[in-house]
Amino acid sequence: MTSRGAGLAALAVLPLGFLVVFFAWPVAAIIARGFGSGGVGTAIGDPLTWRLAGFTLASAGASTVVAVLAGLPVAFLLARVRLPGVSLVRTLVLVPFVLPTVVVGLAFRALWPDGGLLPLVLANAFFNVAVVARTVSGLWSHLDPRTVDAARALGASPWRAFRTVTLPALAPAVASSAAVVFLFCATSFGVVLILGGAKYRTLETEIYLRTVELLDLSGAAALSLVQFAAVVAALAVGALARRRRENAVRLRSGSETARRPRGGEWWAVSAGLAVIALLMTPIVALLVESVSTSDGWSLAGYAALGGQGSRGALQVSGWDAASMSLRTAFDATILAMIVGVLASVVLVALRRTPGRLARGMGETMDAALMLPLGVSAVTVGFGYLITLDALPGDLRTSPLLVPLAQALVIIPLIVRMVLPVLRSVDVRLRQAASTLGASPGRVWREIDLPLTARSLVAAAGFGYVVALGEFGATSFLARPDAPTLPVAVATLISRPGELNNQMAYAACALLMIVTVVAVVLIDRFGAVRGQNSVGEF
């Protein structure tokens, strides 16, 4: 093995070791325990399993269609339009993507108090419009507008020119973003739990029910296998589409294509602005609900955060839960940045290494890093409880347990944000530094780090706000005397009493405000001209 190969292997040890110990091992333990009980075959043959799978796929598919249709006019607005306020639109569309799931669930419940299928589909689409808009706009901004002008000159209508020229060129980005949106919707937990209730259950919520309440590990393992198969299929489609999108971008002009809209383009601009207004509607409804009581406007919910709710709904105060959220998210972000940046460095090095073997290893590692996004957080959490006692110090009782689970969720997001930035560093600069005698570590310190520092900070901030609102694994692992704010919100809405309800909405409003402020700062600080802040999705 060459010194370069040895160095890559050493760098890959930490991210791959983390993935094996804190993801593959717990998940495998849960599935093995399910098979050991002998009920997996029965559960897989149960018609209920396939009804749940069918509903999960159908609802995720419906949400994906809505997100794509809503995201396309916003993508046009971001890629082709030069008007005052477009930069604000770029920031606003990202806000729903990083909002905590309990916040979105309660926001839609403020609009649809009884929940149901329609708000469930719309809420999952609400989360993911940004993925479509910012992924598609990244390719759209590179398309040569002269091809559309030529089609129009030959007599094509604006719609026909879009359908026959622009849309086929955008297909790789649309397919890539749709695969990721489908993945997120199929594994949605908090939104389904709040809006679906007992009537609408998906594979994710059913795994939670069978693991936590029924202790049916064989059934949970069977559902996890079905979910895992769907996740692998979505990841394969997404990876293929992402590769096609990268090739398409390389073939396009990088010139400025944004301009003032003309003629029928104003309809697309209006549609994009209408989507942004609709995305803001649940957010406004949540803020209104947080100050509404049966007696009129009141800040009672905010004031009550200093206590434990009606009839001791919480074991700690709302502010203690908020403090726990901030500390836990910080720990998770530090851990995720270490693992995610190292993984990105290895992936870039493998991509630049000639040979099919290196390329294949890079693609395999890339896909493996995405898997935690699509496996039930409940499965992972329960796996922690039955495996981590084998490690020194018995991590099951450690305060690091929740940060570990949250880090696992945000590592794929950080990799997807950092990876394209590292790839964009001109390899000739690195070669020149090496020629002048710089060691690999010094090349990274003097070349890569200064060029990518702003984006690394943006990735860390993005990961922090996602960890702040993580609910799936945290709801299973957080102790009642040390809940995060999203877990406290879920506890409050499950208890009777108007004060508990007001506290829940007030806590969600605070989470949302913190998230919005963070997103604005991240987008302003980390934005680089032409860079997609959602990353490689």
Side-chain angles (χ1 to χ4, degrees), residues 173-464:
V174 173
S176 174
S177 59
V180 173
V181 170
F182 181 84
L183 174 66
F184 287 154
C185 294
T187 56
S188 177
F189 178 64
V191 166
V192 180
L193 202 64
I194 293 174
L195 297 175
K199 185 176 181 181
Y200 299 105
R201 305 202 309 270
T202 62
L203 288 172
E204 185 80 1
T205 57
E206 186 69 11
I207 291 170
Y208 177 83
L209 173 67
R210 296 195 184 193
T211 303
V212 177
E213 298 185 15
L214 303 180
L215 294 179
D216 177 13
L217 292 183
S218 60
L223 295 176
S224 295
L225 290 174
V226 174
Q227 185 186 54
F228 187 75
V231 165
V232 170
L235 288 176
V237 171
L240 178 62
R242 191 164 58 247
R243 193 178 308 120
R244 291 180 57 202
R245 188 180 82 242
E246 290 172 358
N247 293 334
V249 169
R250 283 197 291 267
L251 294 173
R252 306 298 175 181
S253 166
S255 60
E256 178 66 45
T257 60
R259 56 174 171 76
R260 187 175 178 82
R262 297 179 301 204
E265 292 176 345
W266 283 104
W267 287 104
V269 172
S270 299
L273 293 176
V275 169
I276 295 299
L278 290 173
L279 290 178
M280 296 301 106
T281 300
I283 294 175
V284 173
L286 175 66
L287 291 174
V288 171
E289 190 68 23
S290 71
V291 294
S292 302
T293 68
S294 56
D295 298 325
W297 304 110
S298 173
L299 295 175
Y302 293 91
L305 288 175
Q308 298 177 2
S310 178
R311 300 179 182 176
L314 301 175
Q315 294 188 22
V316 299
S317 71
W319 294 118
D320 289 336
S323 176
M324 177 60 68
S325 289
L326 296 173
R327 295 196 305 271
T328 302
F330 179 82
D331 294 340
T333 303
I334 295 298
L335 180 57
M337 283 297 293
I338 293 173
V339 176
V341 172
L342 279 177
S344 299
V345 170
V346 172
L347 289 173
V348 170
L350 287 172
R351 186 184 181 91
R352 291 172 176 167
T353 301
R356 297 179 61 181
L357 178 60
R359 183 180 180 86
M361 290 173 59
E363 291 177 351
T364 301
M365 182 177 175
D366 195 3
L369 288 165
M370 285 288 286
L371 284 177
L373 285 180
V375 174
S376 169
V378 176
T379 300
V380 176
F382 195 76
Y384 280 5
L385 297 183
I386 66 173
T387 57
L388 296 190
D389 60 320
L391 297 178
D394 192 357
L395 288 178
R396 296 179 304 173
T397 59
S398 170
L400 285 176
L401 188 61
V402 173
L404 283 170
Q406 292 182 351
L408 193 66
V409 171
I410 62 177
I411 283 171
L413 303 177
I414 288 174
V415 170
R416 295 266 71 84
M417 290 186 69
V418 172
L419 194 56
V421 179
L422 289 178
R423 284 176 177 169
S424 69
V425 176
D426 193 338
V427 69
R428 291 173 297 183
L429 294 175
R430 307 183 85 257
Q431 291 172 343
S434 297
T435 302
L436 293 173
S439 65
R442 187 174 181 185
V443 170
W444 161 257
R445 188 173 66 254
E446 307 250 353
I447 303 295
D448 296 81
L449 188 58
L451 293 175
T452 61
R454 288 169 64 90
S455 296
L456 291 175
V457 173
F462 192 83
Y464 183 82

Side-chain angles (χ1 to χ4, degrees), residues 14 19 127 137 218 333 369 409 459 508 511:
L14 179 60
L19 200 66
F127 269 117
S137 68
S218 60
T333 303
L369 288 165
V409 171
C508 281
L511 269 174

